[in-house]
Amino acid sequence: MKIGFIGLGIMGTPMALHLVNAGHQLLVNTLGPLPDSIVASTALACANAAEVTRGADVVFIMVPDTPDVEAVLFGDMGVASGLQAGAGERRKIVVDMSSISPIATKTFAQRINALGADYLDAPVSGGEVGARAASLTIMCGGSEAAFETVRPLLEKMGQNITLVGGNGDGQTTKVANQIIVALTIAAVAEALLFASKAGADPAKVRQALMGGFASSRILEVHGERMIKRTFAPGFRIRLHQKDLNLALQGARELGVALPQTANAAQLMQACAANGMADLDHSALLRALELMAAHELA
Amino acid sequence: MKIGFIGLGIMGTPMALHLVNAGHQLLVNTLGPLPDSIVASTALACANAAEVTRGADVVFIMVPDTPDVEAVLFGDMGVASGLQAGAGERRKIVVDMSSISPIATKTFAQRINALGADYLDAPVSGGEVGARAASLTIMCGGSEAAFETVRPLLEKMGQNITLVGGNGDGQTTKVANQIIVALTIAAVAEALLFASKAGADPAKVRQALMGGFASSRILEVHGERMIKRTFAPGFRIRLHQKDLNLALQGARELGVALPQTANAAQLMQACAANGMADLDHSALLRALELMAAHELA
């Protein structure tokens, strides 16, 4: 099976290399020059996404945002051009691993299906560390047949791989994940800051709450980050802002109100306004600290 | 060691009975008539809190709110009267297991100390189920000596027992717990409602998120409650409103802003306004559903 990979950034490069290292022939394309690690591999550079698509059975996409995916798919010499040129061959599968709008994804999938190919949305969580360690969580939407065909490839890049439902449901799950993570960070930040201002030791409070009903991965990992003030990313506030924007924009289009998500997005905005957009998202605490003129002690 | 227990409500009754069943002689007092289970036990009824205190080495208090604790401690024929009457004997310990203001607690403790007795704040989480099963989480503030003396008694009522720090720190930890629980419930509710409105199956989304970075006890337990719509309490919205009020009132006195907690309190208020104050706190989802004119499908 020939594999295409479009988008060789911080996430895409290690993901593509896992496929190369598993012995697959890769056709690749990215904006700008190829990373050295890709040049040094067996991957073959293509001039554009159409050329990748013509030569590949499965085409992975890993780019920043909804308009980027749209450009890769339907722009000049994009994936759609390659599908049209390659009509009549084995049915191809387009796998978008970017984190983008669930609503746009449904439209993209329909347009790709209309060109005789399958579509799978398969966004990931786990960040750069997870991409390098091949330990990404991958949330998929699409047909079971396409999912089963692609699954062995996904297993080279991640560990916790689920088919949630039809097209768009993978992206929806990713948005749900980012809502919960942001709001749980805010929960832990407000609780620990309150405790600190009330004179308690936040490290002891965190310890007392672990194992109880307030326990979460976020209390464990980000609670510790807040107490030790290790705000080097990790997952940048800038990126979480993008994801919460997907949630709020989607909510507006769908007709759902997300008051806590909206407020958490504003707290991240306050961080960004104070020059902290490239800190880890646990630094949301800093927005509360600025408001209280008090730091977690 | 003779033990006093003041406040035999839904929580206090099973907690007191665990001490009786462990072979302790209990002196008890409560507002209104004694529960039948207490009458049928070896516990001795006292006319008031002062009489309980005169006869006991350790006095437990389990009443609803800050003014109730204040009345038990410093009201007519309260604990303070009993301490004054019993001066010169073995140093007594007052253990307040109610969930009340951390700030008021510090004052209460100082006033009790001034009367020659120790004070321990030891609020619990786990609700009626935890009280019956003797599986309460108990968060303590006070001296290590008082804590170690009382610990064997606390172990009859709970499992996860921590001395967090000095007086007030137990109550502060309880408030922190209730902040995190409320805000994580809101997080899961917004995420699952978004997913449902976007057309995904919330049960599958929850499953995909468990084990990942969004995982928490709340996603596990209350996520399932939301999906199955099992909103019978559990922990009532009415009680969580009281606890969030402690957080917001405390934040105001301390000088901390808790925007997410304030907003979550308003969502619970919306539930109460719609006749849902006695549903489980996971029914916070209902406030979002009302706003979206959409139910989790």
Side-chain angles (χ1 to χ4, degrees):
Chain A
M1 195 154 55
K2 277 191 178 164
I3 299 172
F5 209 108
I6 298 166
L8 298 166
I10 290 172
M11 296 293 291
T13 299
M15 292 164 70
L17 286 172
H18 289 309
L19 296 170
V20 170
N21 292 338
H24 293 287
Q25 176 65 66
L26 250 64
L27 302 173
V28 298
N29 179 254
T30 195
L31 274 184
L34 289 179
D36 292 342
S37 55
I38 296 288
V39 173
S41 77
T42 59
L44 298 175
C46 294
N48 49 54
E51 192 180 316
V52 170
T53 307
R54 273 199 302 275
D57 302 304
V58 177
V59 179
F60 291 99
I61 302 170
M62 192 58 169
V63 294
D65 210 343
T66 312
D68 307 299
V69 173
E70 187 166 23
V72 165
L73 290 175
F74 306 111
D76 192 38
M77 296 306 282
V79 168
S81 309
L83 290 174
Q84 284 158 326
E89 301 166 24
R90 175 177 176 173
R91 189 171 174 93
K92 296 176 193 280
I93 307 175
V94 176
V95 186
D96 177 30
M97 304 190 75
S98 324
S99 290
I100 67 163
S101 160
I103 300 160
T105 289
K106 293 185 193 199
T107 311
F108 294 168
Q110 283 167 359
R111 292 173 67 185
I112 293 296
N113 290 343
L115 296 171
D118 281 321
Y119 190 95
L120 208 64
D121 48 302
V124 307
S125 81
E128 189 182 346
V129 171
R132 287 182 183 277
S135 65
L136 295 168
T137 294
I138 309 179
M139 298 151 268
C140 302
S143 74
E144 198 147 339
F147 176 72
E148 289 304 335
T149 304
V150 172
R151 190 211 283 263
L153 301 174
L154 297 177
E155 284 170 350
K156 303 295 177 203
M157 298 182 270
Q159 281 174 337
N160 187 8
I161 303 163
T162 318
L163 180 65
V164 179
N167 279 132
D169 288 358
Q171 297 291 357
T172 294
T173 304
K174 175 69 192 286
V175 170
N177 184 76
Q178 296 303 80
I179 289 173
I180 293 180
V181 169
L183 270 50
T184 312
I185 286 175
V188 170
E190 290 201 358
L192 294 184
L193 191 66
F194 175 91
S196 165
K197 196 78 162 87
D201 177 349
K204 287 191 179 157
V205 171
R206 171 178 165 277
Q207 200 56 48
L209 297 183
M210 301 255 289
F213 223 70
S215 67
S216 65
R217 285 276 289 145
I218 299 291
L219 177 64
E220 196 184 326
V221 176
H222 287 85
E224 189 173 29
R225 272 181 171 273
M226 292 175 202
I227 288 162
K228 295 191 172 166
R229 308 194 82 71
T230 50
F231 295 135
F235 189 75
R236 290 168 202 272
I237 281 176
R238 185 188 302 285
L239 291 170
H240 213 144
Q241 283 187 283
K242 183 208 117 186
D243 291 341
L244 293 187
N245 194 47
L246 287 176
L248 295 170
Q249 183 62 35
R252 191 171 172 180
E253 290 174 44
L254 293 165
V256 195
L258 303 179
Q260 295 284 80
T261 303
N263 193 47
Q266 290 301 309
L267 292 174
M268 291 202 185
Q269 175 64 21
C271 290
N274 284 275
M276 296 184 267
D278 287 309
L279 294 189
D280 185 72
H281 52 171
S282 55
L284 182 146
L285 168 72
R286 292 285 299 124
L288 299 171
E289 289 181 335
L290 290 170
M291 283 194 270
H294 173 79
E295 290 197 0
L296 211 64
Chain B
M1 194 154 51
K2 277 190 178 165
I3 300 172
F5 208 109
I6 298 167
L8 298 166
I10 290 173
M11 296 293 290
T13 299
M15 292 164 70
L17 287 172
H18 290 309
L19 296 171
V20 170
N21 293 338
H24 293 286
Q25 176 65 65
L26 249 64
L27 302 174
V28 299
N29 178 253
T30 195
L31 274 185
L34 288 179
D36 293 343
S37 55
I38 296 287
V39 173
S41 77
T42 59
L44 298 176
C46 294
N48 50 53
E51 194 180 315
V52 169
T53 306
R54 274 199 301 274
D57 302 304
V58 177
V59 179
F60 291 99
I61 302 170
M62 191 59 169
V63 294
D65 210 342
T66 312
D68 307 299
V69 173
E70 187 165 23
V72 165
L73 290 175
F74 306 111
D76 193 36
M77 295 306 282
V79 168
S81 309
L83 289 174
Q84 284 157 326
E89 300 166 23
R90 175 175 175 174
R91 190 171 173 93
K92 294 175 193 282
I93 306 175
V94 176
V95 185
D96 178 28
M97 304 191 73
S98 323
S99 290
I100 68 163
S101 160
I103 300 160
T105 290
K106 294 186 191 196
T107 310
F108 294 168
Q110 284 168 357
R111 292 173 67 186
I112 293 296
N113 290 343
L115 296 171
D118 280 321
Y119 190 95
L120 207 65
D121 47 303
V124 308
S125 81
E128 190 183 345
V129 172
R132 287 181 183 279
S135 65
L136 295 168
T137 295
I138 309 179
M139 299 151 267
C140 302
S143 74
E144 199 148 337
F147 176 72
E148 289 305 335
T149 303
V150 172
R151 191 211 284 262
L153 302 173
L154 297 177
E155 284 171 351
K156 302 295 176 204
M157 299 182 269
Q159 281 174 338
N160 188 7
I161 302 162
T162 317
L163 179 66
V164 179
N167 278 133
D169 288 358
Q171 297 292 355
T172 294
T173 303
K174 174 69 192 286
V175 170
N177 184 75
Q178 296 304 80
I179 290 173
I180 292 180
V181 169
L183 270 48
T184 312
I185 286 175
V188 170
E190 290 201 359
L192 294 184
L193 191 67
F194 175 91
S196 165
K197 196 77 162 86
D201 178 348
K204 288 190 178 158
V205 171
R206 171 178 165 278
Q207 200 56 50
L209 297 183
M210 301 254 289
F213 222 69
S215 68
S216 64
R217 285 277 289 146
I218 298 290
L219 177 64
E220 196 183 328
V221 176
H222 287 86
E224 188 173 32
R225 271 180 172 273
M226 292 175 201
I227 289 162
K228 295 190 173 167
R229 308 193 81 71
T230 50
F231 295 136
F235 188 75
R236 290 168 202 272
I237 282 176
R238 185 188 301 285
L239 291 171
H240 213 145
Q241 284 187 281
K242 184 209 115 185
D243 292 341
L244 294 187
N245 194 46
L246 287 176
L248 295 171
Q249 183 61 36
R252 191 170 170 183
E253 291 174 44
L254 294 165
V256 195
L258 303 178
Q260 295 285 81
T261 304
N263 192 47
Q266 290 301 308
L267 293 173
M268 291 205 185
Q269 175 64 21
C271 290
N274 284 276
M276 296 184 269
D278 287 309
L279 294 188
D280 185 73
H281 52 171
S282 55
L284 182 147
L285 168 73
R286 292 285 297 124
L288 300 171
E289 289 180 336
L290 289 170
M291 282 194 271
H294 173 78
E295 290 196 359
L296 211 63

